PDB file of all heavy atoms in Angstrom:
ATOM      1  N   VAL M 631     121.025 115.487  93.055  1.00 85.00           N
ATOM      2  CA  VAL M 631     121.371 114.916  94.351  1.00 85.00           C
ATOM      3  C   VAL M 631     122.191 113.649  94.147  1.00 85.00           C
ATOM      4  O   VAL M 631     121.887 112.841  93.266  1.00 85.00           O
ATOM      5  CB  VAL M 631     120.096 114.581  95.164  1.00 85.00           C
ATOM      6  CG1 VAL M 631     120.437 113.753  96.396  1.00 85.00           C
ATOM      7  CG2 VAL M 631     119.376 115.844  95.579  1.00 85.00           C
ATOM      8  N   ALA M 633     123.274 110.410  96.509  1.00 84.00           N
ATOM      9  CA  ALA M 633     122.897 109.854  97.808  1.00 84.00           C
ATOM     10  C   ALA M 633     123.316 108.397  97.916  1.00 84.00           C
ATOM     11  O   ALA M 633     123.508 107.712  96.906  1.00 84.00           O
ATOM     12  CB  ALA M 633     121.384 109.980  98.023  1.00 84.00           C
ATOM     13  N   ARG M 634     123.455 107.950  99.149  1.00 82.00           N
ATOM     14  CA  ARG M 634     123.693 106.529  99.388  1.00 82.00           C
ATOM     15  C   ARG M 634     122.418 105.746  99.071  1.00 82.00           C
ATOM     16  O   ARG M 634     121.321 106.276  99.141  1.00 82.00           O
ATOM     17  CB  ARG M 634     124.119 106.300 100.844  1.00 82.00           C
ATOM     18  CG  ARG M 634     125.549 106.740 101.136  1.00 82.00           C
ATOM     19  CD  ARG M 634     125.919 106.487 102.586  1.00 82.00           C
ATOM     20  NE  ARG M 634     125.238 107.420 103.469  1.00 82.00           N
ATOM     21  CZ  ARG M 634     125.687 108.637 103.745  1.00 82.00           C
ATOM     22  NH1 ARG M 634     126.833 109.057 103.217  1.00 82.00           N
ATOM     23  NH2 ARG M 634     125.012 109.441 104.550  1.00 82.00           N
ATOM     24  N   THR M 636     119.194 103.926  99.059  1.00 73.00           N
ATOM     25  CA  THR M 636     118.076 103.873 100.000  1.00 73.00           C
ATOM     26  C   THR M 636     116.794 103.679  99.221  1.00 73.00           C
ATOM     27  O   THR M 636     116.713 104.040  98.039  1.00 73.00           O
ATOM     28  CB  THR M 636     117.988 105.173 100.837  1.00 73.00           C
ATOM     29  OG1 THR M 636     116.832 105.103 101.676  1.00 73.00           O
ATOM     30  CG2 THR M 636     117.887 106.397  99.949  1.00 73.00           C
ATOM     31  N   SER M 637     115.791 103.120  99.868  1.00 65.00           N
ATOM     32  CA  SER M 637     114.534 102.836  99.158  1.00 65.00           C
ATOM     33  C   SER M 637     113.535 103.982  99.247  1.00 65.00           C
ATOM     34  O   SER M 637     112.510 103.965  98.585  1.00 65.00           O
ATOM     35  CB  SER M 637     113.890 101.569  99.731  1.00 65.00           C
ATOM     36  OG  SER M 637     113.583 101.761 101.105  1.00 65.00           O
ATOM     37  N   ASN M 638     113.804 104.985 100.101  1.00 70.00           N
ATOM     38  CA  ASN M 638     112.788 106.026 100.309  1.00 70.00           C
ATOM     39  C   ASN M 638     113.325 107.433 100.075  1.00 70.00           C
ATOM     40  O   ASN M 638     112.881 108.385 100.708  1.00 70.00           O
ATOM     41  CB  ASN M 638     112.200 105.907 101.716  1.00 70.00           C
ATOM     42  CG  ASN M 638     113.263 106.072 102.794  1.00 70.00           C
ATOM     43  OD1 ASN M 638     114.449 105.970 102.509  1.00 70.00           O
ATOM     44  ND2 ASN M 638     112.830 106.310 104.013  1.00 70.00           N
ATOM     45  N   LEU M 639     114.304 107.578  99.155  1.00 75.00           N
ATOM     46  CA  LEU M 639     114.861 108.899  98.886  1.00 75.00           C
ATOM     47  C   LEU M 639     113.790 109.840  98.339  1.00 75.00           C
ATOM     48  O   LEU M 639     113.714 111.012  98.723  1.00 75.00           O
ATOM     49  CB  LEU M 639     116.033 108.796  97.911  1.00 75.00           C
ATOM     50  CG  LEU M 639     116.728 110.115  97.548  1.00 75.00           C
ATOM     51  CD1 LEU M 639     117.299 110.778  98.799  1.00 75.00           C
ATOM     52  CD2 LEU M 639     117.838 109.880  96.522  1.00 75.00           C
ATOM     53  N   PHE M 640     112.947 109.331  97.437  1.00 74.00           N
ATOM     54  CA  PHE M 640     111.890 110.154  96.852  1.00 74.00           C
ATOM     55  C   PHE M 640     110.997 110.734  97.952  1.00 74.00           C
ATOM     56  O   PHE M 640     110.712 111.934  97.980  1.00 74.00           O
ATOM     57  CB  PHE M 640     111.040 109.323  95.890  1.00 74.00           C
ATOM     58  CG  PHE M 640     111.315 109.607  94.445  1.00 74.00           C
ATOM     59  CD1 PHE M 640     112.016 108.706  93.666  1.00 74.00           C
ATOM     60  CD2 PHE M 640     110.872 110.771  93.853  1.00 74.00           C
ATOM     61  CE1 PHE M 640     112.270 108.955  92.337  1.00 74.00           C
ATOM     62  CE2 PHE M 640     111.119 111.033  92.519  1.00 74.00           C
ATOM     63  CZ  PHE M 640     111.821 110.117  91.759  1.00 74.00           C
ATOM     64  N   SER M 641     110.532 109.879  98.832  1.00 72.00           N
ATOM     65  CA  SER M 641     109.595 110.335  99.859  1.00 72.00           C
ATOM     66  C   SER M 641     110.263 111.327 100.808  1.00 72.00           C
ATOM     67  O   SER M 641     109.613 112.277 101.276  1.00 72.00           O
ATOM     68  CB  SER M 641     109.043 109.139 100.636  1.00 72.00           C
ATOM     69  OG  SER M 641     110.079 108.423 101.276  1.00 72.00           O
ATOM     70  N   GLU M 642     111.545 111.141 101.104  1.00 77.00           N
ATOM     71  CA  GLU M 642     112.243 112.077 101.985  1.00 77.00           C
ATOM     72  C   GLU M 642     112.388 113.450 101.327  1.00 77.00           C
ATOM     73  O   GLU M 642     112.252 114.488 101.977  1.00 77.00           O
ATOM     74  CB  GLU M 642     113.615 111.513 102.362  1.00 77.00           C
ATOM     75  CG  GLU M 642     113.532 110.331 103.319  1.00 77.00           C
ATOM     76  CD  GLU M 642     114.902 109.842 103.741  1.00 77.00           C
ATOM     77  OE1 GLU M 642     115.778 109.692 102.867  1.00 77.00           O
ATOM     78  OE2 GLU M 642     115.105 109.600 104.941  1.00 77.00           O
ATOM     79  N   ILE M 643     112.682 113.449 100.018  1.00 79.00           N
ATOM     80  CA  ILE M 643     112.796 114.722  99.301  1.00 79.00           C
ATOM     81  C   ILE M 643     111.440 115.417  99.223  1.00 79.00           C
ATOM     82  O   ILE M 643     111.328 116.627  99.429  1.00 79.00           O
ATOM     83  CB  ILE M 643     113.396 114.487  97.901  1.00 79.00           C
ATOM     84  CG1 ILE M 643     114.883 114.154  98.037  1.00 79.00           C
ATOM     85  CG2 ILE M 643     113.205 115.709  96.999  1.00 79.00           C
ATOM     86  CD1 ILE M 643     115.568 113.815  96.737  1.00 79.00           C
ATOM     87  N   GLU M 644     110.400 114.635  98.944  1.00 75.00           N
ATOM     88  CA  GLU M 644     109.055 115.219  98.906  1.00 75.00           C
ATOM     89  C   GLU M 644     108.668 115.796 100.265  1.00 75.00           C
ATOM     90  O   GLU M 644     108.053 116.865 100.356  1.00 75.00           O
ATOM     91  CB  GLU M 644     108.040 114.161  98.463  1.00 75.00           C
ATOM     92  CG  GLU M 644     108.115 113.835  96.985  1.00 75.00           C
ATOM     93  CD  GLU M 644     107.142 112.756  96.572  1.00 75.00           C
ATOM     94  OE1 GLU M 644     107.016 111.762  97.305  1.00 75.00           O
ATOM     95  OE2 GLU M 644     106.502 112.902  95.516  1.00 75.00           O
ATOM     96  N   LEU M 659     115.676 108.933  89.340  1.00 70.00           N
ATOM     97  CA  LEU M 659     116.778 108.351  90.088  1.00 70.00           C
ATOM     98  C   LEU M 659     117.504 107.334  89.230  1.00 70.00           C
ATOM     99  O   LEU M 659     116.873 106.523  88.542  1.00 70.00           O
ATOM    100  CB  LEU M 659     116.263 107.670  91.353  1.00 70.00           C
ATOM    101  CG  LEU M 659     115.949 108.561  92.558  1.00 70.00           C
ATOM    102  CD1 LEU M 659     115.379 107.714  93.681  1.00 70.00           C
ATOM    103  CD2 LEU M 659     117.187 109.286  93.027  1.00 70.00           C
ATOM    104  N   LEU M 667     123.164 106.491  94.499  1.00 79.00           N
ATOM    105  CA  LEU M 667     122.059 106.938  93.663  1.00 79.00           C
ATOM    106  C   LEU M 667     122.321 108.367  93.206  1.00 79.00           C
ATOM    107  O   LEU M 667     122.814 109.196  93.985  1.00 79.00           O
ATOM    108  CB  LEU M 667     120.737 106.914  94.432  1.00 79.00           C
ATOM    109  CG  LEU M 667     120.125 105.544  94.742  1.00 79.00           C
ATOM    110  CD1 LEU M 667     118.912 105.732  95.642  1.00 79.00           C
ATOM    111  CD2 LEU M 667     119.736 104.823  93.471  1.00 79.00           C
ATOM    112  N   GLY M 669     120.190 111.531  91.568  1.00 79.00           N
ATOM    113  CA  GLY M 669     118.831 111.967  91.284  1.00 79.00           C
ATOM    114  C   GLY M 669     118.787 113.332  90.646  1.00 79.00           C
ATOM    115  O   GLY M 669     119.622 114.204  90.929  1.00 79.00           O
ATOM    116  N   PHE M 671     115.973 116.424  89.876  1.00 79.00           N
ATOM    117  CA  PHE M 671     114.656 116.842  90.326  1.00 79.00           C
ATOM    118  C   PHE M 671     114.323 118.253  89.842  1.00 79.00           C
ATOM    119  O   PHE M 671     115.208 119.102  89.713  1.00 79.00           O
ATOM    120  CB  PHE M 671     114.576 116.812  91.856  1.00 79.00           C
ATOM    121  CG  PHE M 671     114.825 115.456  92.454  1.00 79.00           C
ATOM    122  CD1 PHE M 671     116.102 115.068  92.815  1.00 79.00           C
ATOM    123  CD2 PHE M 671     113.785 114.563  92.631  1.00 79.00           C
ATOM    124  CE1 PHE M 671     116.340 113.814  93.355  1.00 79.00           C
ATOM    125  CE2 PHE M 671     114.009 113.309  93.161  1.00 79.00           C
ATOM    126  CZ  PHE M 671     115.293 112.934  93.529  1.00 79.00           C
ATOM    127  N   ILE M 691     118.886 115.295 105.118  1.00 85.00           N
ATOM    128  CA  ILE M 691     118.498 113.902 104.856  1.00 85.00           C
ATOM    129  C   ILE M 691     119.739 113.026 105.016  1.00 85.00           C
ATOM    130  O   ILE M 691     120.759 113.260 104.358  1.00 85.00           O
ATOM    131  CB  ILE M 691     117.904 113.753 103.446  1.00 85.00           C
ATOM    132  CG1 ILE M 691     116.610 114.582 103.337  1.00 85.00           C
ATOM    133  CG2 ILE M 691     117.626 112.295 103.119  1.00 85.00           C
ATOM    134  CD1 ILE M 691     116.019 114.621 101.935  1.00 85.00           C
ATOM    135  N   SER M 693     120.839 110.156 103.981  1.00 84.00           N
ATOM    136  CA  SER M 693     121.454 109.461 102.847  1.00 84.00           C
ATOM    137  C   SER M 693     122.053 110.403 101.815  1.00 84.00           C
ATOM    138  O   SER M 693     122.830 109.977 100.961  1.00 84.00           O
ATOM    139  CB  SER M 693     120.419 108.557 102.163  1.00 84.00           C
ATOM    140  OG  SER M 693     119.325 109.327 101.694  1.00 84.00           O
ATOM    141  N   VAL M 694     121.694 111.702 101.857  1.00 86.00           N
ATOM    142  CA  VAL M 694     122.174 112.653 100.851  1.00 86.00           C
ATOM    143  C   VAL M 694     123.635 113.001 101.118  1.00 86.00           C
ATOM    144  O   VAL M 694     124.008 113.398 102.226  1.00 86.00           O
ATOM    145  CB  VAL M 694     121.310 113.935 100.852  1.00 86.00           C
ATOM    146  CG1 VAL M 694     121.947 115.015  99.988  1.00 86.00           C
ATOM    147  CG2 VAL M 694     119.909 113.616 100.343  1.00 86.00           C
TER     148      VAL M 694
END
Side-chain angles (χ1 to χ4, degrees):
V631 169
R634 286 180 288 275
T636 176
S637 61
N638 60 343
L639 181 60
F640 255 106
S641 60
E642 289 183 314
I643 288 176
E644 286 178 317
L659 280 177
L667 288 174
F671 300 91
I691 297 174
S693 60
V694 170

